[in-house]
Amino acid sequence: MRALPYRRSRATAIGATAFLLLALPFLVLGVFFLRQMARMDLRCEPRAPCVLTRSSWLGEEEVGRYAPEDILRVGVDRSRSRRSGAAPIFRPQLETTSGDQPLAFQWTQDEAEATAFADTVQRYLTGPRTDSLTVFRDDRRASLRVGGAFTGVGLAVLALSLWLFSRTLAHRKAERAAAR
């Protein structure tokens, strides 16, 4: 059996392909985390419906438009883990005729913070509504850290893959020149 001659271009091509395949999951996960809709905005105008939107670092979408008569109340949702001794967690929530809508992406352990947020919105809705109201809860910081880290690693590995691909082309060119 005859052994194949060693070719540097083949070895660097395999390395470039391997690093490209390694970069893809990092890039996909980075975009996934950066697209988490972790900022919730509620905007209410005096004679217009309230608009609830959520946004990420890469986009924004409208959750719904709610006329004042469609909003039943603003409350705090409480959740308790099934584990014994687990602390309760809280999240402000908009209760409408079409269902409940959370006003925060992440739950908090601080009940006073969630209640204060809900009370601000409830006071506006029960008041004369002569001014506009804009409140938001921005929980995108965690998704930026994780998504940025995954994207950064993915881009670094992709750059390494492209560098190996350029070395593959240089090796092939040298091999062709040596074969002549």
Side-chain angles (χ1 to χ4, degrees):
M1 180 175 240
R2 204 176 101 204
L4 293 173
Y6 176 73
R7 294 189 340 219
R8 291 181 69 118
S9 64
R10 182 175 179 167
T12 55
I14 291 170
T17 304
F19 278 106
L20 176 65
L21 292 175
L22 181 63
L24 291 176
F26 281 99
L27 292 172
V28 168
L29 284 172
V31 170
F32 170 77
F33 282 110
L34 291 174
R35 288 187 51 91
Q36 280 189 337
M37 299 291 183
R39 178 183 168 121
M40 305 293 285
D41 290 276
L42 180 66
R43 291 182 186 93
C44 298
E45 297 297 326
R47 286 174 277 295
C50 292
V51 179
L52 181 62
T53 58
R54 58 186 181 178
S55 56
S56 70
W57 293 105
L58 302 177
E60 180 178 304
E61 71 181 17
E62 183 177 299
V63 176
R65 290 180 180 269
Y66 305 103
E69 59 272 7
D70 293 339
I71 300 173
L72 303 175
R73 75 179 202 89
V74 181
V76 175
D77 193 15
R78 178 187 175 121
S79 177
R80 182 179 286 282
S81 174
R82 295 183 187 272
R83 297 182 313 187
S84 63
I89 52 178
F90 308 93
R91 179 167 66 175
Q93 182 168 293
L94 188 67
E95 296 176 17
T96 68
T97 56
S98 60
D100 297 343
Q101 292 295 334
L103 293 174
F105 178 74
Q106 292 183 342
W107 295 76
T108 180
Q109 292 181 349
D110 187 5
E111 183 178 14
E113 177 186 342
T115 303
F117 189 88
D119 288 345
T120 300
V121 177
Q122 186 66 42
R123 271 194 310 275
Y124 175 79
L125 293 172
T126 57
R129 293 182 55 133
T130 56
D131 296 330
S132 62
L133 172 74
T134 302
V135 291
F136 68 91
R137 175 77 188 265
D138 194 353
D139 296 319
R140 296 179 299 172
R141 188 176 304 160
S143 66
L144 177 63
R145 280 193 309 268
V146 176
F150 272 99
T151 302
V153 168
L155 290 174
V157 173
L158 181 63
L160 179 61
S161 175
L162 293 174
W163 178 77
L164 282 172
F165 182 69
S166 72
R167 298 302 311 149
T168 299
L169 295 177
H171 290 159
R172 281 192 181 163
K173 186 176 179 180
E175 289 167 359
R176 282 192 210 117
R180 292 183 194 173

